Amino acid sequence: MFTLPNVFAALVTLIPFLSAAFFGDTLRKKIQTLPIAIRLLLPSSLCLPYLLVTLAASSFHWDWFALYALLPAAIALLLQQARQIDTKQTGNWRDYLALLTLGLAVDLRWFEPAWPPYLAVFNKMILLNAGIYGFQFIRELNDVGFDLRLRLGDLRIGLREWAYYTPIAIALGLGLGFLHFHAHWPRLMQLAGAYLFTYFFIAVPEELFFRGWLQNLLERRFSRTPSLLLASALFGLSHFNKRAIHFNWRYVLLAAIAGIFYGRAWRHGRRVGASAITHTTVDTLWSIWFR
């Protein structure tokens, strides 16, 4: 698994994600200086991790390669059209089509058969990078808050919403038999590692999608509360197939309620980092003591 091609593919996947998260404004300005044709074709390079991983594993297929080369460019083209048509950024059907395509592809694991065993995480990150490029650098959607240079306010708001949600989650989760308490104290390095992994690879991608993009767009059509509730309900439904063969209504319910508090954290300062702190702390607490 930890072969040189896989490590290099991981770096190629992480660099766009982290560059957008920490140097987004600088990167956006540089991309805007490129000719439009190059801007729209540039995300096709997101197929490179697939090429590296599958050639090394002797599992390369041209159809999957074409998908990873063409889909990010198609998302960019779609959002370029949305930018031209919807200059006031009130939300366009193309925005929602892009979100629906990316969301279902990740949640239903459409493309995971393309990858060798245990390496399907590349699929999620490639599609995330395609969304970041399209919404941040082509569409230039306002008020997303995808800036992971954390502020004290992000920590304060994020932990406040976690403190509000935790008693509800524990009481409801234990009552429904979804949570099971385990008296275990992890090593500090284990706790820190779990927290950082959850923050960057679970919380930030999901918060960017459901709050920075989806809730943000919904607020342009509806008021704050309906947008919060709708985004939270969709967030809950995205967990229907987690930890169960059939529809996991307990997980859906708890995730939907959690989404309300994640959404509150995001909209306080419109900062993905704040809601990701709430999300990460909830998930880390659950994974260590209540799974």
Side-chain angles (χ1 to χ4, degrees):
M1 184 175 178
F2 290 101
T3 64
L4 185 59
N6 290 353
V7 171
F8 188 58
L11 290 174
V12 171
T13 305
L14 287 174
I15 286 172
F17 169 58
L18 295 176
S19 297
F22 290 97
F23 311 103
D25 287 340
T26 301
L27 195 56
R28 179 181 55 80
K29 291 175 183 176
K30 289 185 178 298
I31 289 172
Q32 290 303 313
T33 64
L34 299 173
I36 185 62
I38 295 178
R39 270 185 276 162
L40 294 177
L41 289 174
L42 188 60
S44 292
S45 62
L46 292 172
C47 68
L48 183 57
Y50 173 79
L51 185 67
L52 292 167
V53 169
T54 56
L55 284 178
S58 300
S59 60
F60 175 85
H61 292 280
W62 280 106
D63 51 350
W64 288 117
F65 176 76
L67 176 75
Y68 283 113
L70 296 176
L71 181 59
I75 294 292
L77 177 60
L78 199 64
L79 294 177
Q80 171 65 17
Q81 293 174 347
R83 173 180 176 168
Q84 293 173 332
I85 294 168
D86 180 28
T87 57
K88 294 184 178 179
Q89 297 196 350
T90 57
N92 181 267
W93 66 265
R94 294 167 180 82
D95 298 313
Y96 295 106
L97 178 58
L99 288 176
L100 184 66
T101 301
L102 295 172
L104 290 179
V106 171
D107 198 53
L108 299 181
R109 302 170 183 170
W110 286 344
F111 307 153
E112 290 189 6
W115 299 89
Y118 310 110
L119 293 175
V121 65
F122 279 103
N123 173 69
K124 178 180 179 179
M125 296 306 296
I126 289 172
L127 295 179
L128 175 67
N129 283 334
I132 289 171
Y133 187 87
F135 281 103
Q136 306 301 117
F137 303 135
I138 297 295
R139 182 68 158 116
E140 294 190 276
L141 187 63
N142 296 327
D143 297 327
V144 171
F146 183 46
D147 180 356
L148 299 188
R149 295 171 295 179
L150 293 179
R151 305 168 182 171
L152 287 177
D154 298 332
L155 296 172
R156 178 175 59 84
I157 297 301
L159 294 177
R160 183 193 71 183
E161 296 302 319
W162 166 76
Y164 288 163
Y165 171 64
T166 297
I168 299 171
I170 292 176
L172 187 58
L174 291 175
L176 293 173
F178 180 76
L179 299 181
H180 306 277
F181 179 69
H182 304 285
H184 166 67
W185 187 257
R187 296 188 303 273
L188 182 60
M189 289 301 295
Q190 179 189 0
L191 182 62
Y195 198 91
L196 287 174
F197 180 87
T198 302
Y199 179 80
F200 281 107
F201 298 108
I202 298 175
V204 167
E206 292 185 3
E207 291 309 301
L208 179 58
F209 184 93
F210 283 99
R211 259 55 71 173
W213 296 337
L214 180 59
Q215 186 175 332
N216 186 1
L217 284 166
L218 289 173
E219 283 190 0
R220 298 159 195 262
R221 294 286 183 178
F222 309 103
S223 61
R224 281 161 53 97
T225 300
S227 301
L228 172 65
L229 295 177
L230 181 54
S232 300
L234 292 172
F235 176 71
L237 287 170
S238 73
H239 293 75
F240 83 97
N241 58 351
K242 306 296 193 297
R243 300 184 68 214
I245 298 174
H246 304 293
F247 188 90
N248 192 341
W249 67 269
R250 295 174 180 84
Y251 205 161
V252 168
L253 176 61
L254 284 166
I257 297 172
I260 294 173
F261 292 90
Y262 301 165
R264 280 167 45 90
W266 171 79
R267 77 180 186 184
H268 183 272
R270 307 188 86 80
R271 300 270 298 170
V272 168
S275 58
I277 290 291
T278 311
H279 193 151
T280 302
T281 311
V282 168
D283 279 11
T284 304
L285 179 71
W286 170 56
S287 64
I288 292 178
W289 287 293
F290 289 98
R291 187 185 292 271

